mmCIF file with all atom_site columns, all heavy atoms in Angstrom:
data_model
loop_
_atom_site.group_PDB
_atom_site.id
_atom_site.type_symbol
_atom_site.label_atom_id
_atom_site.label_alt_id
_atom_site.label_comp_id
_atom_site.label_asym_id
_atom_site.label_entity_id
_atom_site.label_seq_id
_atom_site.pdbx_PDB_ins_code
_atom_site.Cartn_x
_atom_site.Cartn_y
_atom_site.Cartn_z
_atom_site.occupancy
_atom_site.B_iso_or_equiv
_atom_site.pdbx_formal_charge
_atom_site.auth_seq_id
_atom_site.auth_comp_id
_atom_site.auth_asym_id
_atom_site.auth_atom_id
_atom_site.pdbx_PDB_model_num
ATOM 1  N N   . LEU A 1 34  ? 102.754 126.150 126.919 1.00 97.00 ? 34  LEU A N   1
ATOM 2  C CA  . LEU A 1 34  ? 101.990 125.346 125.965 1.00 97.00 ? 34  LEU A CA  1
ATOM 3  C C   . LEU A 1 34  ? 100.887 124.531 126.624 1.00 97.00 ? 34  LEU A C   1
ATOM 4  O O   . LEU A 1 34  ? 99.759  124.493 126.134 1.00 97.00 ? 34  LEU A O   1
ATOM 5  C CB  . LEU A 1 34  ? 102.926 124.432 125.171 1.00 97.00 ? 34  LEU A CB  1
ATOM 6  C CG  . LEU A 1 34  ? 102.266 123.571 124.098 1.00 97.00 ? 34  LEU A CG  1
ATOM 7  C CD1 . LEU A 1 34  ? 101.553 124.431 123.057 1.00 97.00 ? 34  LEU A CD1 1
ATOM 8  C CD2 . LEU A 1 34  ? 103.298 122.674 123.442 1.00 97.00 ? 34  LEU A CD2 1
ATOM 9  N N   . GLN A 1 73  ? 93.122  113.694 121.044 1.00 91.00 ? 73  GLN A N   1
ATOM 10 C CA  . GLN A 1 73  ? 92.521  114.198 119.798 1.00 91.00 ? 73  GLN A CA  1
ATOM 11 C C   . GLN A 1 73  ? 92.560  113.094 118.739 1.00 91.00 ? 73  GLN A C   1
ATOM 12 O O   . GLN A 1 73  ? 93.434  113.065 117.876 1.00 91.00 ? 73  GLN A O   1
ATOM 13 C CB  . GLN A 1 73  ? 93.285  115.438 119.304 1.00 91.00 ? 73  GLN A CB  1
ATOM 14 C CG  . GLN A 1 73  ? 93.196  116.636 120.209 1.00 91.00 ? 73  GLN A CG  1
ATOM 15 C CD  . GLN A 1 73  ? 91.789  117.208 120.228 1.00 91.00 ? 73  GLN A CD  1
ATOM 16 O OE1 . GLN A 1 73  ? 91.068  117.219 119.233 1.00 91.00 ? 73  GLN A OE1 1
ATOM 17 N NE2 . GLN A 1 73  ? 91.374  117.680 121.390 1.00 91.00 ? 73  GLN A NE2 1
ATOM 18 N N   . PRO A 1 74  ? 91.603  112.174 118.767 1.00 88.00 ? 74  PRO A N   1
ATOM 19 C CA  . PRO A 1 74  ? 91.671  111.018 117.866 1.00 88.00 ? 74  PRO A CA  1
ATOM 20 C C   . PRO A 1 74  ? 91.570  111.358 116.386 1.00 88.00 ? 74  PRO A C   1
ATOM 21 O O   . PRO A 1 74  ? 91.999  110.574 115.551 1.00 88.00 ? 74  PRO A O   1
ATOM 22 C CB  . PRO A 1 74  ? 90.493  110.148 118.316 1.00 88.00 ? 74  PRO A CB  1
ATOM 23 C CG  . PRO A 1 74  ? 89.574  111.071 119.023 1.00 88.00 ? 74  PRO A CG  1
ATOM 24 C CD  . PRO A 1 74  ? 90.430  112.128 119.636 1.00 88.00 ? 74  PRO A CD  1
ATOM 25 N N   . LYS A 1 131 ? 109.819 105.404 109.088 1.00 90.00 ? 131 LYS A N   1
ATOM 26 C CA  . LYS A 1 131 ? 109.788 104.199 108.251 1.00 90.00 ? 131 LYS A CA  1
ATOM 27 C C   . LYS A 1 131 ? 108.874 103.142 108.868 1.00 90.00 ? 131 LYS A C   1
ATOM 28 O O   . LYS A 1 131 ? 108.391 102.259 108.178 1.00 90.00 ? 131 LYS A O   1
ATOM 29 C CB  . LYS A 1 131 ? 111.195 103.638 108.072 1.00 90.00 ? 131 LYS A CB  1
ATOM 30 C CG  . LYS A 1 131 ? 112.023 104.393 107.053 1.00 90.00 ? 131 LYS A CG  1
ATOM 31 C CD  . LYS A 1 131 ? 113.419 103.858 106.962 1.00 90.00 ? 131 LYS A CD  1
ATOM 32 C CE  . LYS A 1 131 ? 113.452 102.507 106.310 1.00 90.00 ? 131 LYS A CE  1
ATOM 33 N NZ  . LYS A 1 131 ? 114.826 102.032 106.045 1.00 90.00 ? 131 LYS A NZ  1
ATOM 34 N N   . THR A 1 136 ? 99.708  101.284 104.674 1.00 86.00 ? 136 THR A N   1
ATOM 35 C CA  . THR A 1 136 ? 98.266  101.348 104.423 1.00 86.00 ? 136 THR A CA  1
ATOM 36 C C   . THR A 1 136 ? 97.686  102.709 104.818 1.00 86.00 ? 136 THR A C   1
ATOM 37 O O   . THR A 1 136 ? 96.540  103.001 104.493 1.00 86.00 ? 136 THR A O   1
ATOM 38 C CB  . THR A 1 136 ? 97.529  100.251 105.206 1.00 86.00 ? 136 THR A CB  1
ATOM 39 O OG1 . THR A 1 136 ? 97.859  100.370 106.596 1.00 86.00 ? 136 THR A OG1 1
ATOM 40 C CG2 . THR A 1 136 ? 97.922  98.874  104.706 1.00 86.00 ? 136 THR A CG2 1
ATOM 41 N N   . ALA A 1 150 ? 121.181 121.530 104.173 1.00 84.00 ? 150 ALA A N   1
ATOM 42 C CA  . ALA A 1 150 ? 121.855 121.675 102.887 1.00 84.00 ? 150 ALA A CA  1
ATOM 43 C C   . ALA A 1 150 ? 121.374 120.524 102.006 1.00 84.00 ? 150 ALA A C   1
ATOM 44 O O   . ALA A 1 150 ? 120.376 119.875 102.323 1.00 84.00 ? 150 ALA A O   1
ATOM 45 C CB  . ALA A 1 150 ? 123.363 121.640 103.090 1.00 84.00 ? 150 ALA A CB  1
#
Side-chain angles (χ1 to χ4, degrees):
L34 182 59
Q73 295 292 325
K131 282 177 71 172
T136 55

